[in-house]
Amino acid sequence: MVEMQEIVCSVHEHRNEIVLRLLEFSVTDTILYLKECISNEKTLNSLKYAICFANDFLQTKFEEVSGLEVSTTNLAQKELLREFLNKLDDVSLAVVYLVATELRSVLLGCLFLCRVFSVKDIFNLAFAEELEEQDKWGCDDCIRQKHTEILEKLMSWEKFCNERSLFKN
């Protein structure tokens, strides 16, 4: 929780830099590149729902991407996303930033804030490709520990948001 407090305290001073970093990061958002990597139908449906809900919530039109190219459509969403991020108070922006950087997904950071998915569901989407590979090939203790730490962070951030009534739904 100390990390959260430190970031919240510095958001006002570094707000433009944080928003810019999130905007740049958004066009290569992890969940936009998953459809070719995932074979589990339930996960693919959750992924599509997450992107659709994020677009509705953010009033954007982010799209799934094949290959490594950055979509011109996704690039065009940066200004709409900027409007959303600029409307957030410093604490909410800090939460989006922490979740987005931890999960490599600005869209999941925004979805975390609107609490449409559980922490576990957001984690599963962020690591969908890795989790599917683990189902095939197994998982070692190091990866299990890393995942446990990430889930614990997400749960502590969720608690932080609950205590401050930050969720947007």
Side-chain angles (χ1 to χ4, degrees):
M1 204 62 82
V2 172
E3 177 187 23
M4 175 66 85
Q5 293 296 352
E6 290 172 3
I7 288 178
V8 167
C9 290
S10 68
V11 164
H12 184 72
E13 183 180 337
H14 301 285
R15 187 174 189 75
N16 290 336
E17 179 184 337
I18 290 168
V19 169
L20 184 60
R21 184 174 289 169
L22 290 170
L23 292 173
E24 293 302 316
F25 191 36
S26 69
V27 297
T28 57
D29 194 291
T30 297
I31 68 170
L32 299 176
Y33 289 83
L34 286 175
K35 77 175 181 180
E36 290 183 345
C37 309
I38 304 300
S39 61
N40 181 298
E41 197 63 37
K42 183 179 177 189
T43 303
L44 286 170
N45 288 336
S46 292
L47 176 65
K48 287 183 189 302
Y49 179 72
I51 294 169
C52 282
F53 194 90
N55 280 329
D56 288 344
F57 182 68
L58 300 170
Q59 299 179 358
T60 55
K61 296 179 182 174
F62 283 100
E63 65 182 7
E64 293 177 287
V65 179
S66 298
L68 299 175
E69 294 295 319
V70 174
S71 161
T72 56
T73 300
N74 292 342
L75 282 168
Q77 304 314 301
K78 288 167 72 172
E79 285 310 309
L80 294 169
L81 180 59
R82 181 190 308 270
E83 288 177 29
F84 171 81
L85 295 172
N86 283 336
K87 290 178 186 174
L88 295 177
D89 59 66
D90 290 347
V91 179
S92 297
L93 183 59
V95 170
V96 170
Y97 178 77
L98 285 168
V99 175
T101 54
E102 188 68 46
L103 300 181
R104 303 175 313 267
S105 175
V106 176
L107 297 179
L108 289 178
C110 294
L111 289 176
F112 181 90
L113 199 59
C114 68
R115 204 172 192 194
V116 171
F117 292 94
S118 70
V119 165
K120 184 68 173 169
D121 289 339
I122 285 177
F123 173 86
N124 287 341
L125 283 172
F127 294 97
E129 181 181 11
E130 189 175 324
L131 294 170
E132 191 166 300
E133 289 297 315
Q134 289 172 14
D135 284 344
K136 290 179 192 174
W137 309 108
C139 180
D140 65 28
D141 289 336
C142 183
I143 292 173
R144 262 191 276 283
Q145 179 62 33
K146 177 185 130 195
H147 285 178
T148 299
E149 290 170 8
I150 292 169
L151 276 168
E152 287 173 357
K153 283 181 189 179
L154 291 171
M155 288 186 284
S156 75
W157 298 336
E158 178 183 48
K159 181 180 177 192
F160 178 89
C161 290
N162 279 329
E163 291 169 349
R164 288 156 184 82
S165 301
L166 292 179
F167 290 117
K168 302 296 181 196
N169 61 357

